[in-house]
Amino acid sequence: MAPGSPLFSVTDPLQLDPEWTCGVPLLAFEEALEQSVFRSGLTRSDWLKRLAHQLHRPRLLPLLWLLPKGWKLAPADLPQRVQSLGGLVERELLTPALLGAVADGLPHLLPEESGAIGRWRGAPEVNLPTSLEQLLRLDPGLSDPAEANGDSADAGHLSGGLIWHNIGLNHEQSAGERQRNALTARVLNRLSANGLGGVPWQIDGASSCRSWFEQLQQSGWMLRAQLRASVASFGLGASLPKSGQPTPGWSQVPLALPIRTGLLGDDGQEIQSLLPHSCLELEWRKGEDLLRLQYYQGTEGLCGWEALNDLHRPWQNDRDNGTIRYFGEPFEGERLLDVMDLCELVALIHNQESEDDGLWLGGYGALGFCIDSSAVLQQALDGRCDLFPCLLGGIWRERLLHRARRLQQQLNPQHEFQQRALQRYCQAITALPHDGFCFGETRRDAQRRLKACQPQSSPFRLAQQALLL
């Protein structure tokens, strides 16, 4: 297709900058595919058929999206349950308009699914710590068997040595610290779920995140939260053993989810970019203790808190080299308490809406993606939005606003913090942009937001180009 054609697109959207370094050897995805098939002696079509047989594993489903042209899986070769999805991405990259339409249509296409409230509140038979002392008692020095023997773990071997896992990388925290992060996330979700009514659950005598955090701040804990974005891969990684080297090692294969933005660049071509993952990062520090959590609408099936236990991929999520884009100033002190009020309220409204409508994955997509949940927080707290694409659809905004208004009638007028959070939420849902179709002034703002949420440093050429818009 000629470069002047309106349908011209980047041939390799995951192309890497060879001059970008991060301390581990990187190999471009398409080159890794070529090398693995070449080593295996298989034809490309036979290799793809082998891959299709592995797509029953949910964590490999992003491959339908990110496989480059020439490597796409034909729908007929896929398991029946993902053939429709394969058809959508077989010929071209997804757009915000298509993503928004899919998100809006999923509740009508998939069977009803309940459980968002249960996942958010947690099983009643599970005993949670009722004091910070009990929470911190979990030994942070616990070893991780998977880390100790990572190279022999079941990493999804495919022909030629390509493995759908990042062999040779580590987490920033120990297994015990990560377990403590996960337990802390469950505690915050359970405190937030007190908004459902009934006998309130407590920790250290506190029955809300605000009241507990006030205690923690007074006892010397440094608590801070900040909105962030980085290149998304839905946790999927890949690596390939290095050949011809005196010592064995692994080349890491950076993965990302490329999209057509629906925005026209100054050169008359449609801008392509990489889909971001976004969340509110929450960090607790005191002495040697460090806890890290994240808040977002996620594929885990709820809106709420999760542990921030990502594998350290220096090309994607390093806090010091610019691959994570942080927005604004950190939330600390009283502003952090306002954030916690808002997070509790958003989780209550979204999880109830998901539960009552039986939404797939706790409303993921229909009630927004992770990008949307961060955009709601930024719009509510700072009166601005720096994220792209925002895809929370109109009919779902109306449903969320109806639920918020019903909740307002139930709230005690004396609870000024809850009333303020609710007002901010309604204003944010109303003002938040939608990037399904952008034209004129909305296109210019969308392009500003696209640039604003790019990593300031990245090996991906597309991310580097987006910074120059």
Side-chain angles (χ1 to χ4, degrees):
M1 193 175 292
S5 166
L7 298 181
F8 175 75
S9 61
V10 177
T11 56
D12 182 9
L14 299 187
Q15 182 183 7
L16 303 182
D17 179 356
E19 296 184 3
W20 195 94
T21 59
C22 63
V24 298
L26 302 182
L27 182 66
F29 186 34
E30 190 158 6
E31 186 177 351
L33 291 174
E34 293 285 357
Q35 289 188 22
S36 61
V37 172
F38 175 76
R39 290 174 182 172
S40 70
L42 292 172
T43 64
R44 184 179 299 194
S45 60
D46 287 339
W47 187 91
L48 289 172
K49 288 178 182 178
R50 289 192 178 188
L51 173 61
H53 288 308
Q54 296 210 7
L55 288 179
H56 66 280
R57 307 169 72 164
R59 69 185 185 87
L60 294 183
L61 285 177
L63 287 172
L64 289 177
W65 184 333
L66 58 87
L67 281 172
K69 285 185 175 181
W71 292 89
K72 293 292 186 184
L73 288 152
D77 294 330
L78 298 173
Q80 186 173 3
R81 66 186 181 87
V82 295
Q83 285 183 0
S84 297
L85 180 60
L88 285 175
V89 300
E90 178 189 13
R91 296 183 61 84
E92 192 49 88
L93 300 180
L94 294 179
T95 66
L98 183 54
L99 278 172
V102 170
D104 182 67
L106 281 177
H108 305 284
L109 300 174
L110 297 173
E112 289 192 2
E113 175 186 280
S114 61
I117 292 295
R119 287 186 285 268
W120 181 46
R121 180 169 47 194
E125 67 274 9
V126 176
N127 292 323
L128 292 175
T130 56
S131 70
L132 178 64
E133 182 182 0
Q134 292 179 9
L135 175 62
L136 297 177
R137 201 173 293 161
L138 186 64
D139 183 5
L142 291 173
S143 62
D144 187 341
E147 284 187 357
N149 196 23
D151 289 10
S152 63
D154 177 15
H157 229 293
L158 282 176
S159 55
L162 185 62
I163 290 178
W164 302 113
H165 180 73
N166 292 114
I167 300 294
L169 299 184
N170 298 307
H171 293 85
E172 290 186 313
Q173 293 184 282
S174 70
E177 288 172 322
R178 301 199 306 275
Q179 291 177 30
R180 196 163 61 182
N181 291 342
L183 182 59
T184 306
R186 288 166 54 195
V187 166
L188 293 189
N189 285 333
R190 182 62 189 89
L191 280 174
S192 301
N194 283 335
L196 296 168
V199 178
W201 181 83
Q202 295 184 343
I203 182 167
D204 289 324
S207 58
S208 71
C209 293
R210 168 180 276 270
S211 58
W212 194 37
F213 273 37
E214 285 178 324
Q215 292 184 30
L216 295 174
Q217 289 173 339
Q218 293 168 6
S219 63
W221 279 87
M222 301 297 294
L223 305 172
R224 56 183 284 166
Q226 195 164 14
L227 290 165
R228 55 176 269 182
S230 56
V231 171
S233 68
F234 285 89
L236 184 63
S239 51
L240 191 68
K242 296 168 66 176
S243 60
Q245 301 293 325
T247 57
W250 295 86
S251 291
Q252 304 300 328
V253 183
L255 300 179
L257 304 174
I259 62 170
R260 292 166 43 211
T261 63
L263 306 175
L264 200 63
D266 293 337
D267 60 356
Q269 302 298 327
E270 183 176 13
I271 299 169
Q272 294 187 11
S273 71
L274 303 177
L275 190 72
H277 167 67
S278 183
C279 68
L280 176 73
E281 176 183 302
L282 175 63
E283 188 174 271
W284 313 25
R285 286 183 183 271
K286 186 178 182 182
E288 298 297 318
D289 291 316
L290 171 63
L291 297 95
R292 286 181 174 147
L293 308 179
Q294 57 182 331
Y295 177 93
Y296 60 102
Q297 181 92 40
T299 57
E300 294 84 358
L302 75 154
C303 176
W305 295 98
E306 297 287 344
L308 187 50
N309 288 341
D310 298 339
L311 189 69
H312 180 227
R313 298 183 174 104
W315 62 89
Q316 180 185 33
N317 58 14
D318 189 286
R319 289 174 173 80
D320 301 317
N321 70 357
T323 52
I324 296 176
R325 184 68 173 258
Y326 287 97
F327 301 103
E329 295 298 318
F331 298 104
E332 299 175 294
E334 185 63 30
R335 289 196 75 211
L336 177 61
L337 302 182
D338 289 342
V339 171
M340 302 308 293
D341 291 335
L342 188 61
C343 289
E344 281 191 352
L345 181 88
V346 174
L348 176 63
I349 293 173
H350 285 226
N351 289 324
Q352 282 188 319
E353 186 65 34
S354 171
E355 186 79 12
D356 291 350
D357 290 341
L359 299 181
W360 178 73
L361 283 184
Y364 182 74
L367 303 182
F369 298 92
C370 62
I371 306 165
D372 298 281
S373 55
S374 291
V376 168
L377 294 179
Q378 187 184 32
Q379 187 73 47
L381 294 161
D382 294 336
R384 60 179 288 121
C385 176
D386 293 320
L387 287 151
F388 177 93
C390 296
L391 297 173
L392 179 56
I395 191 170
W396 293 105
R397 296 190 196 207
E398 294 287 350
R399 288 178 171 136
L400 293 170
L401 286 172
H402 286 164
R403 186 170 294 276
R405 292 177 187 126
R406 291 198 301 270
L407 177 62
Q408 187 172 27
Q409 297 172 358
Q410 302 167 12
L411 289 179
N412 187 332
Q414 303 300 318
H415 294 169
E416 59 176 301
F417 300 127
Q418 294 176 329
Q419 294 285 352
R420 183 171 58 195
L422 187 61
Q423 182 181 19
R424 285 172 165 169
Y425 172 77
C426 292
Q427 290 173 345
I429 291 293
T430 303
L432 205 64
H434 189 282
D435 294 316
F437 300 96
C438 298
F439 176 75
E441 285 301 319
T442 60
R443 182 201 67 82
R444 282 184 278 274
D445 181 65
Q447 188 166 315
R448 175 194 67 79
R449 290 183 284 108
L450 170 62
K451 181 178 179 179
C453 67
Q454 297 300 309
Q456 293 170 308
S457 178
S458 174
F460 291 109
R461 292 284 197 186
L462 272 187
Q464 295 176 359
Q465 293 167 10
L467 286 175
L468 302 177
L469 293 175

